[in-house]
Amino acid sequence: RGWPTPLSPLSPQVLAYNRRTFATVSQRLLVAVTPAPGGDAPFQGEFLVGNRDVEELLPAAARERFLQASAGVWGRGDLHVINVTSALDRGGRVPLPIEGRKEGVFVKVGSHGPFPPCLALAVSPQSRLRCHLGQQPLVSCNDTFAPHFSIRWCNLTLLQVQPDPTTPGPVWGSGVLEEGGDFQPPTAVPPRELLPGFLVTLLVPLAVAALLCLLLGHLMCCRREGV
C-alpha cells in the first residue's frame, strides 16, 4: 500500500510467538511514517551486533544506547537508527542451544556527516583481505560499543545514498487556445493493404486441413489388410 502519510496511518496486526512455550499473541499497532527532518541521511552504516537478538534492540532504550555508542565511533551526535534486522533474515544460522549464544542483529544507522576515517579503513580492500584470511580487520576506532555490544567489524557496510532527483511536474496552461493558433488534427493514416494477410490467415489453415484429410483417407482406405 506504500508509505502512509501522517493523516493516513497504517494499522498492521503483529503476530508473535514465544520460542520456548510456542504461545502466540497478536496486537494491532498504529504506525504513522513521517519524513525525517532534514531529509534522508546520505551516509549510512550497518553494523552486525553478534551478542544480541533482534528483540533486544527493538526497545527505544536499547536503540538509544546503541546510538550513543555509535556516536562515540562516528564522532557525531545526529545519528538515528534506520533499520534493525535479525541476522537470520540475512542468511545467518540458528545458534546452538548453548547459554549465551545469540542470533545476531544488523543495525543500520544514518548521519548527515561523512564517514570517519576509522570506519572507512575498516571497509578498505586491505581490511577485507585480512578478514578473508581469517585475521583481524584494520580497525583504528575507539570501540565505544564494548562491552555491551560486540561488533563484527568484518561485516561492516558503509553506504552513501544519493538523493533522488526530483522530476519537474507537468506545466498546466490556462486551458484557452491562444489567438491565431488553429487546432491541427493529426494527419490521416494511409490505408493499409489487408488482403494478403487475410489470404494467408485463411488459406494456410485450409491447406493444412486438406493435407491432413488426404493423409487420413490414405491411411484408412489404402492401408487396409488385403487392399
Side-chain angles (χ1 to χ4, degrees):
R1 295 175 54 185
W3 292 107
T5 62
L7 299 179
S8 59
L10 292 179
S11 180
Q13 185 177 10
V14 180
L15 181 65
Y17 75 96
N18 190 320
R19 64 180 62 189
R20 294 183 177 87
T21 63
F22 296 99
T24 59
V25 62
S26 63
Q27 182 179 1
R28 188 169 294 278
L29 302 178
L30 188 64
V31 180
V33 180
T34 57
D40 296 335
F43 299 94
Q44 301 177 6
E46 190 174 54
F47 302 87
L48 175 57
V49 185
N51 63 337
R52 287 289 185 271
D53 290 332
V54 63
E55 60 268 17
E56 298 176 353
L57 281 175
L58 290 179
R63 287 187 280 113
E64 183 63 29
R65 193 173 198 176
F66 186 85
L67 285 177
Q68 293 177 0
S70 303
V73 174
W74 207 294
R76 294 182 61 90
D78 64 340
L79 297 176
H80 61 275
V81 176
I82 299 177
N83 189 23
V84 178
T85 307
S86 173
L88 300 182
D89 297 335
R90 301 287 187 86
R93 296 182 178 180
V94 178
L96 297 175
I98 302 176
E99 189 67 25
R101 296 293 181 92
K102 301 292 184 177
E103 298 174 357
V105 188
F106 284 95
V107 183
K108 181 184 289 187
V109 298
S111 172
H112 289 274
F115 303 116
C118 62
L119 291 182
L121 179 63
V123 298
S124 62
Q126 296 82 3
S127 181
R128 296 302 190 193
L129 178 60
R130 292 174 62 92
C131 291
H132 182 71
L133 297 177
Q135 303 175 3
Q136 292 294 329
L138 300 175
V139 181
S140 59
C141 302
N142 183 17
D143 193 356
T144 57
F145 293 100
H148 303 289
F149 306 103
S150 177
I151 303 298
R152 299 179 181 176
W153 294 102
C154 286
N155 297 93
L156 175 65
T157 302
L158 300 181
L159 179 64
Q160 186 171 356
V161 181
Q162 300 294 336
D164 296 333
T166 57
T167 57
V171 180
W172 301 101
S174 61
V176 180
L177 188 65
E178 297 181 0
E179 184 178 358
D182 297 332
F183 175 69
Q184 298 293 336
T187 58
V189 179
R192 297 174 55 188
E193 185 63 34
L194 302 179
L195 181 60
F198 171 75
L199 294 178
V200 171
T201 306
L202 182 64
L203 295 180
V204 170
L206 291 178
V208 173
L211 291 177
L212 292 178
C213 290
L214 291 176
L215 179 61
L216 183 61
H218 175 71
L219 294 177
M220 295 182 64
C221 299
C222 301
R223 292 294 180 180
R224 298 175 60 186
E225 184 178 358
V227 178

